[in-house]
Amino acid sequence: MNPTALHQLITDLRIELDALDIDDQASRQRIEALIAELEDQADIGPRAIALSGSMPSYIEQFEVDHPRLTQVLNRIAVTLSEMGI
């Protein structure tokens, strides 16, 4: 998979975040920080490996309350894996 696909998944993640009613500001800020990191590293910079290692914790945190967001996070994790990250 190429970086263009990752960019599209980042856009999908932002759309899902905007559609969610997350009352917990800390959770919202954590997802926004993830989006910012993904955007910065979408072209596979040196921090991408560390970022891909943190994906499971994001998925675990939101899987029960926000399944659609979790689906996008899973797709991002798979995309990073397919890119060798």
Side-chain angles (χ1 to χ4, degrees), residues 20-22 31 61-71:
L20 289 177
D21 181 25
I22 298 178
I31 297 170
Q61 179 182 354
F62 298 107
E63 67 186 340
V64 172
D65 294 328
H66 307 293
R68 290 178 55 192
L69 181 73
T70 302
Q71 289 173 342

Side-chain angles (χ1 to χ4, degrees), residues 3-4 6-7 10 38-46 48 83 85:
T4 303
L6 183 57
H7 284 285
I10 293 167
L38 286 167
E39 288 171 338
D40 287 345
Q41 300 303 319
D43 294 322
I44 310 308
M83 295 173 76
I85 306 286

Side-chain angles (χ1 to χ4, degrees), residues 3-16:
T4 303
L6 183 57
H7 284 285
Q8 182 57 51
L9 289 170
I10 293 167
T11 299
D12 292 348
L13 183 59
R14 187 169 295 286
I15 290 168
E16 286 301 320

Side-chain angles (χ1 to χ4, degrees), residues 44-59:
I44 310 308
R47 289 178 35 218
I49 293 171
L51 177 61
S52 67
S54 67
M55 291 302 293
S57 67
Y58 284 103
I59 292 168

